[in-house]
Amino acid sequence: MIGIFDSGVGGMTVARAIEQLLPEYPLIYYGDLARSPYGPKSPEKIREYARDNTRFLLDRGAKLIVIACNSAASVAADVIDAEFDVPVFEVIEPAVAEAVAATNSGRIGVIGTRATVKSKVYEKKITAALPGSYVFQVPCPLLVPLVEEGWLNRPETKMILRHYLHPMRSRQIDTLVLGCTHYPLLRTLIQPRIGNRVRVIDSSEALAQRLLEYLEANPILAETLRTGCENRYFASDVTDAALEIAAKIFGRAILIERI
Ligand code: DGL
């Protein structure tokens, strides 16, 4: 099984992309809703949670881990990779690769939670991959609660997006990375507010594509992932709002099991 974790249900955007591209591989998903959001928390706390989430997935048969949460990936991916003896994938590397391939001017914007922006992980990886590039980051802490409230098309959400994206516009970026699980759900509001010429990057499909290539190159591991089980979705808490977001992401009702 492919194990995927996130701080909540936003990471289901990644699970869905994997499900669509790799339907023959069963997924086990864990959303740490009882302890979310991770975005405002310290790197130490997020690492501790990331370890717990990884153990949960491995105990239930996952043989490969996907960190779907940008906040966790930004401060804990190296720790999880070093401490657990399974392949670890995360959302930041593919987003960086796509952004670097997409930009013409080398001026790239990144929006994410406070934890992600503070880690400077996007800045470091983008400038390493594209020396001389300019990375402009804006933390957008209000966007996660707005998405979780289902305020996907409210005037208040549009106003807050305008506020966050305004400084980006004057930096003349040509590429914008959606560095948070929840932001793909706001993509149709973000695109016109950042400008239609700016390429907006959501790494979930690129991550699924990387996974596909990896499994094609590692057929023995790939075989161990094909258990024939059903996809299962677990969370440390289950709320109506979470079920609604999950249904919105997948376009169908999702059974989330509380553990
Ligand atoms: N999953 C988080 C991320 O992608 C957003 C929600 C949170 O702050 O926990 O950064």
Side-chain angles (χ1 to χ4, degrees), residues 5-11 29 32 35-41 46 68-74 91 111-116 122 141 144-145 148 178-183:
F5 77 80
D6 177 37
S7 56
V9 287
Y29 182 94
D32 193 11
R35 301 192 293 191
S36 77
Y38 285 7
K41 296 204 167 68
I46 298 173
C69 175
N70 277 262
S71 303
S74 62
V91 278
I111 52 175
T113 65
R114 286 197 198 284
T116 298
Y122 274 103
V144 166
E148 291 187 346
L178 305 183
C180 174
T181 47
H182 289 54
Y183 303 171

Side-chain angles (χ1 to χ4, degrees), residues 15-16 67 83 87 91 131 138 155 235:
R16 180 164 185 268
I67 307 177
E83 293 181 8
V91 278
V138 175

Side-chain angles (χ1 to χ4, degrees), residues 49-69:
Y49 293 169
R51 285 188 184 100
D52 293 345
N53 303 342
T54 304
R55 278 189 212 107
F56 172 86
L57 294 168
L58 297 180
D59 286 350
R60 277 160 185 77
K63 298 276 185 281
L64 179 151
I65 296 293
V66 175
I67 307 177
C69 175

